[in-house]
């Protein structure tokens, strides 16, 4: 259409121009006809006057010459009066006749002047009068015809211009609206997630807030949905498959949206839905049905079923006055409670979640001052050889003893610190405390065993991690091989290349590296051959099931066998019973860390334990007494 318009527009303009030129020419001609009528009239009048003078024996040759001049110009179209000849034959014939008459009259005048009778002159004058009248009528008639043609021409031009204008206006109006539509479409796309077409988070916030403000009486809820272990789907089945799952799920949710409801993909595998509802149970049932149907359709290629964790915050359940971000935040909290306490996959935000949320906020707020006040205490849990019963190493585990004397376990505050990105500081503090403890032992000439410290994922990814830790190790003069860095297998899986580099750097600086909680993520034995780790810690989960289960025993035996082949030291965590111990001994496990031997204990008790004071093992200061 745009191309056609480019071509059509000049043609239309040329047509209008030509039509206008024709009309202008016609107007000029019609003006000329009027002039011709006037001058024929002058000829008629002047002739009558000449004859009247002649009959009264008066002569006016000037007037005769004047009539001659007009006649000449009427016939030739050339002269001083600006008269143009026409192509109208009748008029031209009449003019010829008029001229003949005039010539006749001039002849008669001559005769009369020579003494002839004036009668003939008068007769001739009447004839000329009639012929002049006929000439005028003829040009009048022609002029009338031309005027009609001109009017038609002008009407046609006008109508044509009108049609063209309507068409052009229509075209440009349509173009304008299309442009507006396109602009709106582009603006709409800008506010959407490219993969799923769902709203981007900022748009969700903006439009969601508007809906909430406009529908104060309505029951509205924010649903926060997160796929569990989506990384596993991406890693195992590929990003393309992962993208398909997200797209399909977004489509399913979009299809379920009603008036005043919105969908957003807030992050990688997280969705937000603003829902209207009448009854909370119906709202929950609907979400569950959507997820169930989706899961039925989208079974993973390895027949694994995908899991979704979904937190719902009904606005009516919030106490404080919040905006949409606040409701999303509460739904997120509700969703997190599912992840931390598996069982159901759906949770409504409620009073107890609110309390937990404020507890977490309180914990995060107090971290700085607690660190400064030395409220974080390092406990040590020995790692024991099951063959000799000797303490061969230990793990440093942090505790928070508040100023009110309350002991908070890491399970409660570490996830909060991780979420708030405060954990790096705490990890380094613990590490430094361990170094200080070891330096003191060296100084007093006591027995010192290697100690491992936990390093959170966030600390691991900070650029100066190894440099800082190495500087602290150096400052406290801890020999190589005496400090071990524990990281979880999830960290190791996430970016193997980065891990390879970090492990090498740690080794270069005299640290040992160990993979903690092996078996809790999606463990890969293949990964072990690439990562140069020194120690592998089998998670307590391996030993929590049925101790007589042949399958479990086979798995543990297999893993320990492979580890030995790879020259990696094995540590079994969470060992509580003699049966577990005997089995691990049978499998060749190197070290045991668990309540069977010792619970985590304060540094002082650990010191006494190492120097062999028997009263330590029965001390009540540690977490519940040891064997
Ligand atoms: P982890 O590193 O896997 O530490 C082992 C956990 O298992 C400790 O829990 C320990 O007390 C517990 N445990 C050991 N033997 C037994 C047993 O026989 N039975 C049972 N039921 N539990 C046993 P804890 O001290 O509560 O620490 C929990 C987690 O908190 C640690 O798991 C570690 O991931 C984290 N954590 C502790 N201290 C730090 C730290 O300084 N920095 C970081 N980033 N994380 C830490
Ligand atoms: Mg650990
Ligand atoms: Mg562990």
């Amino acid at each position: 259409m745009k191309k056609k318009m480019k071509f059509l527009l000049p043609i239309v303009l040329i047509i209008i121009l030509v039509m206008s030129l024709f009309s202008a020419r016609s107007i000029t001609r019609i003006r000329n006809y009027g002039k011709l009528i006037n001058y024929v009239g002058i000829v008629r009048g002047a002739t009558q006057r000449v004859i009247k003078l002649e009959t009264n024996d008066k002569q006016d040759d000037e007037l005769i010459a004047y009539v001659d001049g007009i006649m000449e110009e009427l016939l030739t179209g050339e002269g001083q009066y600006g008269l143009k000849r026409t192509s109208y034959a009748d008029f031209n014939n009449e003019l010829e006749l008029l001229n003949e008459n005039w010539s006749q009259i001039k002849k008669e005048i001559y005769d009369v002047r020579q003494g002839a009778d004036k009668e003939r002159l008068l007769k001739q004058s009447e004839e000329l009068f009639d012929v002049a009248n006929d000439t005028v009528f003829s040009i009048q008639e022609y002029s009338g015809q031309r005027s009609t043609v001109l009017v038609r021409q002008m009407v046609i031009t006008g109508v044509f211009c009108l049609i063209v204008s309507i068409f052009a206006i229509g075209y440009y109006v349509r173009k304008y609206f299309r442009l507006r539509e396109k602009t709106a479409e582009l603006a709409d796309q800008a506010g959407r997630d490219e993969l799923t077409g769902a709203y981007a988070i900022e748009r969700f916030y903006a439009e969601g807030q508007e809906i909430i403000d406009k529908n104060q009486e309505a029951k509205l809820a924010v649903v926060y949905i997160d796929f569990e272990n989506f990384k596993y789907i991406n890693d195992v089945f590929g990003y393309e498959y992962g993208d398909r799952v997200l797209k399909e799920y977004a489509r399913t949710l979009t299809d379920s949206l009603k008036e005043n409801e919105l969908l957003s993909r807030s992050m990688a595998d997280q969705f937000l839905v603003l829902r209207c509802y009448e009854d909370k149970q119906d709202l929950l049932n609907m979400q569950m049905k959507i997820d169930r149907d989706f899961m039925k359709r989208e079974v993973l290629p390895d027949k694994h079923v995908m899991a979704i964790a979904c937190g719902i915050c009904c606005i009516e359940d919030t106490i404080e006055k919040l905006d949409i971000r606040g409701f999303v935040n509460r739904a997120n909290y509700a969703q997190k409670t599912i992840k931390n306490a598996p069982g159901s996959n759906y949770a409504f935000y409620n009073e107890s979640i609110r309390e937990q949320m404020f507890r977490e906020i309180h914990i995060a707020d107090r971290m700085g001052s607690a660190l400064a006040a030395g409220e974080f205490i390092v406990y040590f849990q020995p790692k024991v050889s099951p063959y000799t019963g000797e303490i061969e190493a230990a793990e440093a585990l942090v505790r928070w003893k508040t100023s009110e004397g309350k002991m908070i376990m890491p399970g409660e505050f570490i996830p909060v610190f991780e979420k708030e990105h405060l954990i790096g500081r705490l990890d380094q503090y613990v590490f430094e405390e361990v170094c200080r403890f070891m330096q003191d032992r060296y100084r007093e000439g006591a027995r010192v065993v290697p100690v491992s410290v936990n390093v959170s994922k966030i600390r691991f990814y900070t650029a100066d991690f190894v440099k800082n830790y190495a500087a602290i190790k150096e400052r406290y003069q801890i020999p190589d091989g005496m400090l071990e860095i524990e990281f979880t297998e999830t960290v190791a899986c996430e970016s193997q290349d980065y891990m390879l580099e970090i492990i090498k750097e740690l080794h270069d600086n005299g640290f040992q590296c160990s993979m903690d909680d092996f078996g809790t993520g999606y463990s890969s034995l293949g990964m072990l051959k690439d990562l140069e780790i020194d120690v592998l810690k089998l998670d307590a989960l391996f030993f929590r099931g049925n101790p007589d289960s042949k399958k479990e025993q086979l798995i543990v035996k297999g893993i320990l066998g492979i580890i030995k082949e790879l020259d990696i030291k094995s540590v079994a965590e969470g060992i509580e019973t003699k049966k577990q111990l005997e089995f691990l001994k049978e499998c060749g496990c190197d070290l045991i860390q668990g309540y069977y031997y010792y619970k985590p204990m304060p540094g002082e008790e650990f010191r006494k334990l190492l120097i062999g004071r028997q009263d330590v093992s029965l001390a009540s200061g540690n977490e519940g007494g040891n064997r």
Side-chain angles (χ1 to χ4, degrees):
M1 190 63 187
K2 212 172 157 187
K3 249 188 181 168
K4 269 191 201 162
M5 273 308 279
K6 237 180 162 176
F7 183 67
L8 268 174
L9 209 66
I11 292 181
V12 167
L13 286 175
I14 289 171
I15 292 174
I16 292 175
L17 190 73
V18 169
M19 286 170 100
S20 306
L21 283 175
F22 268 114
S23 300
R25 205 180 68 154
S26 296
I27 290 168
T28 321
R29 277 182 177 177
I30 288 166
R31 275 180 59 201
N32 183 45
Y33 299 151
K35 245 172 151 181
L36 289 177
I37 290 168
N38 276 347
Y39 277 86
V40 172
I42 290 170
V43 167
R44 186 177 56 190
T47 316
Q48 297 305 306
R49 187 171 162 73
V50 166
I51 289 168
K52 202 174 163 189
L53 288 170
E54 290 294 336
T55 47
N56 290 327
D57 296 325
K58 288 181 184 157
Q59 294 172 4
D60 190 346
D61 286 343
E62 238 176 68
L63 192 59
I64 291 170
Y66 175 60
V67 174
D68 267 347
I70 294 173
M71 272 315 295
E72 178 71 18
E73 198 170 327
L74 281 170
L75 287 169
T76 60
E78 280 164 22
Q80 58 180 315
Y81 305 113
L83 303 176
K84 296 272 171 301
R85 248 185 85 82
T86 71
S87 56
Y88 186 45
D90 277 4
F91 176 66
N92 289 339
N93 290 341
E94 290 293 343
L95 269 183
E96 292 288 338
L97 216 59
L98 187 66
N99 190 39
E100 267 172 39
N101 260 294
W102 172 240
S103 300
Q104 200 61 42
I105 282 175
K106 282 195 289 185
K107 202 167 149 280
E108 291 299 338
I109 289 171
Y110 180 76
D111 288 350
V112 167
R113 285 184 187 177
Q114 300 302 314
D117 187 15
K118 290 172 182 168
E119 242 350 271
R120 286 195 31 208
L121 181 60
L122 286 171
K123 201 165 166 260
Q124 202 64 46
S125 141
E126 271 166 32
E127 259 179 48
L128 185 134
F129 190 84
D130 289 343
V131 172
N133 276 354
D134 287 349
T135 311
V136 167
F137 291 146
S138 106
I139 192 70
Q140 247 176 1
E141 190 190 318
Y142 187 57
S143 175
Q145 282 173 17
R146 296 314 303 172
S147 298
T148 315
V149 171
L150 174 67
V151 169
R152 265 191 222 139
Q153 243 177 30
M154 287 177 76
V155 168
I156 290 171
T157 311
V159 169
F160 184 73
C161 285
L162 192 74
I163 292 172
V164 168
S165 310
I166 292 172
F167 180 77
I169 290 170
Y171 171 77
Y172 284 108
V173 165
R174 244 182 304 144
K175 197 171 163 177
Y176 167 74
F177 279 111
R178 234 178 292 142
L179 205 78
R180 245 178 53 163
E181 235 171 68
K182 195 102 201 130
T183 316
E185 213 176 282
L186 281 173
D188 185 60
Q189 271 169 13
R192 283 180 188 276
D193 161 48
E194 225 173 88
L195 178 73
T196 60
Y199 279 179
I201 186 79
E202 286 306 324
R203 176 111 181 253
F204 178 83
Y205 284 150
E207 293 200 12
Q209 189 62 54
E210 215 177 296
I211 292 174
I212 292 169
D213 292 344
K214 280 190 188 153
N215 300 277
Q216 301 276 349
E217 300 305 311
K219 287 186 167 188
L220 293 163
V222 172
V223 183
Y224 191 110
I225 308 158
D226 189 5
F227 277 83
E228 284 184 348
N229 241 346
F230 201 77
K231 195 178 171 324
Y232 166 81
I233 297 177
N234 274 337
D235 285 355
V236 178
F237 304 108
Y239 280 88
E240 217 172 287
Y241 182 81
D243 283 355
R244 216 197 76 199
V245 169
L246 294 174
K247 247 164 73 182
E248 193 51 34
Y249 187 62
R251 201 183 58 75
T252 314
L253 285 173
T254 308
D255 289 349
S256 74
L257 294 180
K258 298 192 296 285
E259 201 193 340
N260 281 338
E261 295 191 345
L262 301 175
L263 169 70
S264 161
R265 182 162 83 119
S266 52
M267 268 215 291
D269 59 340
Q270 287 159 12
F271 291 89
L272 289 171
V273 193
L274 180 71
R275 289 264 189 224
C276 305
Y277 66 96
E278 285 302 323
D279 179 77
K280 274 193 208 169
Q281 193 56 43
D282 290 347
L283 172 68
L284 177 65
N285 289 346
M286 183 182 75
Q287 185 59 44
M288 285 167 87
K289 185 171 164 14
I290 288 174
D291 296 343
R292 229 181 5 251
D293 291 351
F294 176 72
M295 301 298 173
K296 251 188 233 160
R297 261 189 332 209
E298 287 294 327
V299 176
L300 291 177
D302 70 349
K303 300 275 182 260
H304 253 78
V305 180
M306 272 176 277
I308 276 170
C310 176
I312 306 170
C313 170
C314 296
I315 293 179
E316 60 177 322
D317 291 340
T318 55
I319 296 170
E320 303 85 0
K321 182 146 180 50
L322 298 168
D323 65 356
I324 185 143
R325 288 168 197 262
F327 301 129
V328 168
N329 193 262
R330 304 284 149 114
N332 184 12
Y333 256 98
Q335 188 264 356
K336 289 244 156 60
T337 59
I338 300 163
K339 284 204 158 172
N340 295 339
S344 160
N345 281 9
Y346 299 83
F348 277 103
Y349 172 78
N350 57 26
E351 192 54 34
S352 85
I353 291 176
R354 182 173 172 275
E355 271 169 25
Q356 186 187 329
M357 196 178 108
F358 282 109
R359 216 172 26 246
E360 286 189 6
I361 292 171
H362 180 68
I363 285 175
D365 282 350
R366 285 200 48 201
M367 192 244 172
S369 57
L371 251 185
E375 290 181 20
F376 291 100
I377 300 165
V378 179
Y379 271 42
F380 294 84
Q381 185 177 30
K383 296 174 194 167
V384 181
S385 159
Y387 313 101
T388 62
E390 279 287 310
I391 297 171
E392 297 211 348
E395 175 173 10
L397 295 160
V398 70
R399 302 288 180 262
W400 184 355
K401 195 169 178 190
T402 65
S403 49
E404 303 90 49
K406 195 180 151 212
M407 188 72 98
I408 311 177
M409 297 300 278
E412 206 172 323
F413 61 86
I414 292 233
V416 183
F417 288 180
E418 275 177 345
K419 206 159 64 189
E420 303 296 326
H421 290 217
L422 299 167
I423 189 70
R425 273 173 68 198
L426 180 70
D427 280 352
Q428 193 160 314
Y429 172 83
V430 170
F431 177 67
E432 193 158 352
E433 285 300 293
V434 168
C435 290
R436 200 193 311 277
F437 174 85
M438 289 173 88
Q439 189 186 51
D440 290 347
R441 300 295 75 79
Y442 279 121
R443 282 189 178 153
E444 67 187 22
R447 182 178 166 228
V448 186
V449 293
V451 178
S452 62
V453 290
N454 292 283
V455 175
S456 82
K457 174 171 154 179
I458 294 160
R459 187 71 187 95
F460 233 89
Y461 286 125
T462 47
D464 56 0
F465 158 60
V466 182
K467 209 172 117 207
N468 279 358
Y469 273 50
I472 297 168
K473 172 176 169 281
E474 187 72 25
R475 196 174 338 128
Y476 288 91
Q477 297 172 332
I478 310 297
D480 287 355
M482 294 303 284
L483 286 165
E484 186 178 307
I485 303 294
E486 290 193 13
F487 50 86
T488 60
E489 66 172 344
T490 328
V491 181
C493 289
E494 266 173 18
S495 44
Q496 284 203 32
D497 290 345
Y498 178 73
M499 259 342 261
L500 280 174
E501 229 175 85
I502 292 282
I503 291 174
K504 185 174 177 311
E505 257 185 81
L506 285 168
H507 282 160
D508 290 348
N509 285 283
F511 289 98
Q512 296 279 97
C513 298
S514 92
M515 193 189 284
D516 201 1
D517 303 341
F518 187 81
T520 49
Y522 44 99
S523 322
S524 154
L525 281 169
M527 189 172 71
L528 297 179
K529 73 172 169 29
D530 301 320
L531 292 180
E532 301 264 308
I533 54 161
D534 307 285
V535 180
L536 187 106
K537 297 184 76 177
L538 285 178
D539 194 78
L541 263 181
F542 277 115
F543 318 105
R544 294 261 158 83
N546 177 6
D548 297 323
S549 158
K550 279 273 164 285
K551 260 193 195 164
E552 269 179 31
Q553 287 185 356
L554 260 175
I555 291 170
V556 174
K557 217 177 224 164
I559 293 172
L560 287 172
I562 292 171
I563 295 171
K564 196 151 244 109
E565 291 289 315
L566 291 169
D567 214 16
I568 297 171
K569 211 175 205 169
S570 52
V571 177
E573 284 187 296
I575 303 307
E576 294 182 350
T577 65
K578 190 162 175 60
K579 202 166 190 169
Q580 289 170 335
L581 178 79
E582 291 306 327
F583 168 66
L584 285 161
K585 260 167 98 173
E586 215 180 279
C587 300
C589 181
D590 296 310
L591 291 174
I592 304 294
Q593 180 182 344
Y595 295 175
Y596 178 77
Y597 283 118
Y598 301 99
K599 285 193 171 179
M601 60 188 78
E604 184 49 26
E605 286 181 27
F606 184 51
R607 185 182 81 87
K608 288 179 184 163
L609 189 67
L610 282 180
I611 57 177
R613 292 220 353 228
Q614 285 309 303
D615 56 327
V616 173
S617 61
L618 300 171
S620 57
N622 67 21
E623 293 173 341
N626 306 305
R627 193 173 71 92

